[in-house]
Amino acid sequence: MNLQHESGGTSKPSEAEGTTAAVLRSRQHNDARCDTPRPLRRRLPAVPVPLPGESLFSWVDHLAYSYEVDRTQIMNRLGLDPKTAHAFRLARHTAELTISSAMSLHAATGLSPESMHDMTLFGFVKQSEGRLRRHLEYDWAPEETWSFCPPCLQSPARWPLRWYQSWAVMCPDHDCYMASYCPDCGSPFSPSILRSDAPGRCPGFLDRDHEPSRLPKNAKRRSKRKRCGRPMWEMDTTSVSDPVVRRTHLRLTRLIASGSPTDEDEQWYADLRTLRTLLNDPNALRVRAFTTPDPALQERFTTGEEDTSTQEREETAPVVIWRPSASGFLSPMRRTVSDPQFGTIWEGQRDPVSEAAKLSVIGSVLESRDVAAAAEEVFSVVHMAHLRDFGERLPSYLSRSSPQLRELIERALASDALAQLHGAQPGGHVRG
């Protein structure tokens, strides 16, 4: 066993732990709908202390690394029911931890309820009900992380909970933009697909050149696709040089970390989410002009409607190409199928640098002395968003946006969306 403690200590039993475990146990018995109680686990001899802001997924994987076992084995030891879809289940636990799972985890590690809660997105639930889309205020929430900082994946890799946030565009520790896919194979990133036998290496598959997806009956079976295997910690990243991005990201990080945001922070956050929503698909807003000292962000903006159809049809097209959107920013498209018979299929992906460019624009507007005038100067309405574009229900933060954005919102929303907006009641929380 090679148990390491980068954080400088271990989690040890204390007199208060019996009380905290009893609280979890009593909460479970108070509701008949809770998961079936599980037998308490024997305490592990030593447990690394979670790093500040660390995700549960990262901490469990680091625990497996410390004990030199794979993820499935450590999850079984912690009572987290790995079964077969261990990565998916651990991602679900990171989003929301059932009380019965929290009890097993507490018994096996001695972690306090506070520590476990801080490593999840939504804390404790009586019973997990499935996908996160039921959280109306948190439609952004993926069940996987979508971006990563390559230097942070240097072994032993540990990653923060903020990587799950939709605004995770930069790493404040390394002052660089995040990445979201492998430049060699185009595979999108998620910790859940990292292989225990090849930690920190891209688990995606390399493309088969000119290999048909359908073969004659008598043809030999195709060979297995080769895994990419590129060390993710060696992927190139670009340093952040836009001060607005730094300030906006810092404020978002502090806002999510604080338990009681101020009214000013609540208003700023509602305005930021409103403008982000209108800039994203279906792109009700377009940026007229984009000024930034950051070359990486400048490359993500275009003033024209560039035609990528020819490039998409080329047999030698790269794995990832860039397509302009109605908002004015470029977004990556990944080639998922390249077949002589069926053509090429492209799949849209999110890009942290493009998202950072949007944060730069929005942050600049919200930092202006006259927000209404700045919004009018920066944005133009190119598409009136209908209620169906929001899944028939507007997010409540649109109704909480400041009066300085009301004129812009009135022009960006179609009549059906405006009708619901005017009847919406303010409310909601700040986490997301």
Side-chain angles (χ1 to χ4, degrees):
M1 182 186 301
N2 180 26
L3 186 59
Q4 302 181 12
H5 310 287
E6 286 80 5
S7 54
T10 59
S11 177
K12 300 180 179 179
S14 67
E15 296 179 359
E17 287 178 352
T19 302
T20 54
V23 170
L24 287 174
R25 192 176 297 110
S26 64
R27 289 179 63 182
Q28 182 187 39
H29 290 304
N30 284 339
D31 197 306
R33 296 175 299 171
C34 295
D35 295 345
T36 303
R38 303 166 183 171
L40 295 180
R41 304 278 166 166
R42 293 183 59 186
R43 181 72 56 86
L44 290 171
V47 176
V49 174
L51 297 177
E54 186 173 14
S55 68
L56 182 64
F57 204 120
S58 168
W59 184 81
V60 170
D61 267 11
H62 181 68
L63 190 61
Y65 170 86
S66 300
Y67 277 93
E68 299 180 346
V69 297
D70 62 29
R71 184 188 296 151
T72 304
Q73 289 174 298
I74 200 66
M75 287 182 66
N76 182 65
R77 182 66 179 81
L78 298 175
L80 296 180
D81 289 345
K83 296 183 180 179
T84 54
H86 55 86
F88 172 79
R89 291 178 181 274
L90 186 52
R92 293 299 308 151
H93 290 312
T94 303
E96 51 187 19
L97 192 63
T98 62
I99 294 176
S100 58
S101 296
M103 288 177 59
S104 296
L105 187 58
H106 169 79
T109 64
L111 288 179
S112 68
E114 293 75 19
S115 295
M116 291 184 285
H117 181 278
D118 290 345
M119 288 193 289
T120 64
L121 284 171
F122 302 114
F124 302 122
V125 294
K126 296 171 183 177
Q127 188 172 10
S128 182
E129 300 176 8
R131 294 183 61 83
L132 293 179
R133 290 297 177 182
R134 72 179 187 280
H135 294 277
L136 296 177
E137 282 300 292
Y138 309 123
D139 255 0
W140 58 266
E143 296 194 12
E144 307 284 354
T145 60
W146 70 280
S147 64
F148 69 100
C149 169
C152 286
L153 290 179
Q154 185 80 36
S155 182
R158 302 179 78 169
W159 55 88
L161 193 63
R162 66 173 178 268
W163 284 11
Y164 285 85
Q165 302 289 352
S166 63
W167 44 261
V169 300
M170 64 166 288
C171 175
D173 297 327
H174 297 99
D175 197 32
C176 64
Y177 289 114
M178 307 275 275
S180 60
Y181 61 88
C182 174
D184 286 359
C185 68
S187 297
F189 170 77
S190 172
S192 65
I193 61 175
L194 294 178
R195 296 164 58 89
S196 58
D197 59 347
R201 295 183 177 272
C202 176
F205 291 95
L206 296 175
D207 189 34
R208 290 192 181 103
D209 293 331
H210 312 299
E211 185 173 5
S213 59
R214 296 183 181 180
L215 300 175
K217 294 182 178 179
N218 297 330
K220 295 182 179 180
R221 179 178 293 182
R222 292 178 295 171
S223 59
K224 291 184 177 180
R225 296 177 66 185
K226 183 180 179 182
R227 288 195 179 272
C228 177
R230 175 168 177 167
M232 302 183 78
W233 63 86
E234 293 181 357
M235 295 180 184
D236 293 333
T237 57
T238 305
S239 298
V240 179
S241 58
D242 188 310
V244 178
V245 172
R246 286 200 187 99
R247 290 195 298 268
T248 304
H249 189 274
L250 177 61
R251 188 168 183 178
L252 285 166
T253 303
R254 290 175 175 174
L255 181 65
I256 299 303
S258 62
S260 55
T262 65
D263 291 342
E264 181 182 355
D265 286 334
E266 290 269 14
Q267 185 61 70
W268 176 85
Y269 190 53
D271 290 345
L272 180 139
R273 297 178 77 185
T274 294
L275 293 177
R276 284 192 71 198
T277 296
L278 297 178
L279 268 180
N280 290 332
D281 195 29
N283 305 123
L285 300 181
R286 180 178 180 85
V287 176
R288 301 178 190 270
F290 179 50
T291 303
T292 174
D294 196 319
L297 300 189
Q298 291 175 355
E299 293 177 356
R300 294 296 195 269
F301 182 73
T302 177
T303 56
E305 295 292 337
E306 301 173 8
D307 184 12
T308 61
S309 58
T310 302
Q311 186 181 19
E312 292 174 14
R313 291 193 298 266
E314 294 177 353
E315 294 183 357
T316 58
V319 176
V320 175
I321 64 173
W322 294 88
R323 177 182 291 176
S325 66
S327 67
F329 295 101
L330 300 175
S331 59
M333 301 292 294
R334 176 196 176 202
R335 188 180 69 215
T336 58
V337 176
S338 182
D339 185 271
Q341 182 178 356
F342 301 100
T344 302
I345 298 178
W346 297 87
E347 182 181 78
Q349 295 190 168
R350 296 174 64 189
D351 174 54
V353 182
S354 293
E355 294 299 319
K358 295 176 185 178
L359 285 184
S360 175
V361 171
I362 295 171
S364 297
V365 169
L366 298 183
E367 288 180 356
S368 302
R369 292 185 177 182
D370 189 337
V371 173
E376 178 66 26
E377 180 181 355
V378 171
F379 301 116
S380 63
V381 177
V382 294
H383 169 83
M384 295 183 70
H386 290 267
L387 199 57
R388 63 176 178 270
D389 296 322
F390 300 95
E392 303 300 329
R393 180 165 182 172
L394 292 177
S396 66
Y397 51 79
L398 283 175
S399 66
R400 302 196 302 271
S401 59
S402 63
Q404 293 177 301
L405 294 180
R406 291 300 169 85
E407 182 179 348
L408 179 66
I409 295 172
E410 295 277 341
R411 291 190 289 112
L413 297 183
S415 58
D416 59 344
L418 283 174
Q420 188 177 107
L421 177 68
H422 293 153
Q425 296 296 323
H429 305 281
V430 165
R431 183 158 183 165

